Amino acid sequence: MQLKNFTISGLFGRSGSSDIDFPIPSEDGDTPSVLMLHGRNGVGKTTILRMLNGLLSLDFNIFRQVPFDRCTLTFESGKRLDVEPVRDKQLTSLAVSYGDLRVALHPEHSGPLLDDNRPQVDEFRGEFLKDTDSINFEFIDTERLHQLLSAEEPLEPGARVLQTQAVRMWLQTQRPNPKARVRDQPPGLALRVKAFIQEAQVNYRTFFSSREPDLFPRIIERLTSEEAPQIYDINSLRRRVQDIHLKAKQNDRLGLEADRWDFPQLMAQLDKLAPRSGEGLQQALTVLGSYVEQLESRAAERGLVADRLLTFEALMKEFIEDKTVLIDPKLGFKITTASGQALEEHQLSSGEFHLLFLMVASLVTRRRGTVIAIDEPEMSMHLAWQRALIPALVRCASNAQPLFIFATHSPDLAASYPEALKRLM
């Protein structure tokens, strides 16, 4: 299930409409997609992100607060979620439809217009959430938006609360440090990274796109081919085993658990086979070669996780010169100053914390179905950081296909992806 199009007409009582097409990644690709909403203040960029967030979580309070004529979210499947205000001088209800289902919601608070309509609302909710279960939507707001949302009413009764929806840009300050803030609640950024390391090792396909065929069919194909006896030789197997062993040692720092196998024993077995020749040698090499392929396949899965973690570390180093952010399997990551002092997330400056927040969101993205909507990503960032930010987020989400949606005023931020720019008038 993918987002295809968002259309809103009469926003803020203006004439005309905004029509936004979402880039849909190909089945074979492994590159994130980018959409940038650009325009002057008050044109509706932030409101559109809030509406998307509301639609995908079935929280329609934003639609009760903002004047509009009609809003439609279309999915790649062809189904549409429509919201339309019903007015008689003032808002009397919200008409919401999805497929063949249609419900009337109360104009002032969460829930149906009439209590008798609750079964229809429950049916509507169940059908929509079942269809959109594969969409993982994360809305990252800023201090200004957080203040706007502080008095927001609860969700519709029973509405799904996405885990990532709790993510906010908490930029509250406290004395004496004007850049200090309360801890991110919940979850902490380091805990998100720790959970990613654990989950990605259990099922790497959740987070990574891979064009490699499954191991078992590949081995069977090789063993049954006419060239099977010549597939493996001792020297190549030695090199492959050593490479697996070296990568396992490198990945240990990242908390990636290697398979349980005996490197010295396997190398000793290859040494014993070296003097032999003939059919017996080829049979032994075929058995050992299949085992090595299994180890390589598992190592390649861990390699995808390692590459993304190492990219995250490298990117943080490119942005922040006087501090290091290194992966720690027990904590998620550690932050240290140039003098070696350990820091907590909330001790970073506003710009540094903002950057870390966005990079973690990119790091833990799933392979498909993730939508990361970011309002004013340039906030608190130096001009040089703004220019490098979007390419860095795309790199950090390596081997995955999330959709990044940015709402920005910054021409420097938008300049890095001019083909992804959608100007709102």
Side-chain angles (χ1 to χ4, degrees):
M1 192 80 160
Q2 302 282 335
L3 305 184
K4 183 177 181 180
N5 177 270
F6 175 89
T7 302
I8 179 102
S9 61
L11 184 60
F12 303 131
R14 302 191 189 106
S15 60
S17 64
S18 295
D19 188 67
I20 300 169
D21 290 324
F22 299 107
I24 299 176
S26 66
E27 291 291 336
D28 299 328
D30 55 6
T31 304
S33 301
V34 175
L35 173 65
M36 305 194 65
L37 307 181
H38 187 264
R40 58 181 174 80
N41 289 334
V43 77
K45 302 182 298 298
T46 297
T47 299
I48 287 174
L49 294 190
R50 293 187 67 197
M51 286 181 165
L52 277 172
N53 186 47
L55 289 169
L56 289 168
S57 60
L58 295 184
D59 174 3
F60 296 99
N61 284 317
I62 179 64
F63 296 95
R64 296 180 175 98
Q65 300 164 5
V66 176
F68 73 104
D69 292 336
R70 186 180 182 87
C71 180
T72 300
L73 178 61
T74 305
F75 298 90
E76 188 184 11
S77 64
K79 283 192 173 183
R80 308 186 332 177
L81 178 60
D82 291 290
V83 185
E84 189 172 3
V86 179
R87 295 189 179 91
D88 182 9
K89 294 185 179 180
Q90 62 181 9
L91 182 65
T92 59
S93 68
L94 281 178
V96 183
S97 62
Y98 177 70
D100 297 329
L101 302 175
R102 185 179 178 88
V103 295
L105 302 180
H106 199 280
E108 298 177 355
H109 58 74
S110 302
L113 181 63
L114 302 173
D115 287 340
D116 292 345
N117 299 143
R118 196 165 297 279
Q120 290 92 330
V121 171
D122 291 341
E123 180 186 4
F124 180 99
R125 180 180 299 113
E127 181 72 15
F128 179 80
L129 297 184
K130 180 185 69 175
D131 286 352
T132 59
D133 183 64
S134 62
I135 297 178
N136 184 44
F137 188 88
E138 177 167 348
F139 178 36
I140 301 175
D141 59 18
T142 57
E143 181 179 19
R144 178 173 64 85
L145 185 54
H146 170 60
Q147 295 299 325
L148 291 174
L149 293 174
S150 60
E152 189 173 5
E153 296 181 47
L155 301 177
E156 305 291 336
R160 173 179 59 181
V161 181
L162 301 177
Q163 178 183 358
T164 52
Q165 187 183 344
V167 175
R168 299 270 192 235
M169 269 300 172
W170 295 85
L171 299 178
Q172 289 180 244
T173 58
Q174 57 187 22
R175 296 180 180 181
N177 180 2
K179 291 185 176 182
R181 65 187 56 74
V182 296
R183 289 177 179 271
D184 185 39
Q185 297 286 341
L189 300 181
L191 292 180
R192 293 189 73 189
V193 175
K194 180 180 178 180
F196 164 74
I197 295 172
Q198 295 171 344
E199 294 173 19
Q201 293 182 81
V202 175
N203 185 3
Y204 80 100
R205 292 187 184 276
T206 300
F207 299 94
F208 300 94
S209 174
S210 175
R211 297 187 181 90
E212 285 292 320
D214 289 337
L215 174 64
F216 184 70
R218 186 170 73 239
I219 291 177
I220 293 298
E221 180 181 358
R222 291 188 180 182
L223 294 180
T224 56
S225 69
E226 295 180 357
E227 300 177 357
Q230 283 73 45
I231 290 177
Y232 307 107
D233 67 79
I234 291 177
N235 289 332
S236 67
L237 287 179
R238 277 200 188 104
R239 289 192 297 269
R240 292 162 69 177
V241 170
Q242 289 171 341
D243 187 53
I244 296 169
H245 180 63
L246 177 61
K247 289 180 179 178
K249 292 177 63 177
Q250 294 172 340
N251 292 342
D252 184 62
R253 176 182 71 84
L254 303 173
L256 305 181
E257 297 182 7
D259 292 313
R260 295 182 179 180
W261 61 289
D262 194 323
F263 169 70
Q265 183 182 39
L266 185 52
M267 292 296 287
Q269 289 297 325
L270 290 172
D271 290 339
K272 288 180 181 180
L273 292 175
R276 297 172 57 179
S277 62
E279 184 176 348
L281 172 63
Q282 289 302 325
Q283 290 176 347
L285 289 179
T286 298
V287 173
L288 288 177
S290 299
Y291 179 61
V292 170
E293 288 214 8
Q294 180 182 2
L295 293 176
E296 281 181 327
S297 179
R298 291 284 298 137
E301 295 172 10
R302 290 189 296 272
L304 292 171
V305 186
D307 287 346
R308 196 184 289 181
L309 292 173
L310 293 173
T311 298
F312 167 79
E313 287 185 342
L315 289 169
M316 292 303 299
K317 184 177 181 181
E318 290 178 13
F319 279 86
I320 303 177
E321 297 180 355
D322 60 341
K323 301 178 185 71
T324 60
V325 181
L326 295 179
I327 296 298
D328 183 291
K330 294 182 179 179
L331 303 175
F333 57 74
K334 284 183 178 179
I335 307 171
T336 55
T337 65
S339 62
Q341 179 185 1
L343 296 178
E344 298 290 337
E345 299 165 14
H346 62 281
Q347 293 178 296
L348 295 173
S349 72
S350 295
E352 290 170 337
F353 181 79
H354 193 161
L355 172 70
L356 178 63
F357 199 103
L358 300 185
M359 293 295 287
V360 168
S362 182
L363 169 69
V364 304
T365 188
R366 294 177 180 270
R367 181 174 68 91
R368 287 179 64 84
T370 295
V371 181
I372 304 175
I374 307 173
D375 181 46
E376 298 186 23
E378 68 273 16
M379 177 171 280
S380 302
M381 289 195 180
H382 184 271
L383 185 60
W385 280 23
Q386 293 182 31
R387 291 170 176 167
L389 178 62
I390 297 181
L393 294 177
V394 170
R395 282 177 58 194
C396 197
S398 57
N399 285 290
Q401 296 177 301
L403 168 60
F404 288 103
I405 306 176
F406 301 96
T408 179
H409 302 106
S410 170
D412 293 282
L413 193 79
S416 58
Y417 278 81
E419 71 283 356
L421 196 64
K422 171 66 178 179
R423 297 187 182 276
L424 299 181
M425 309 300 290

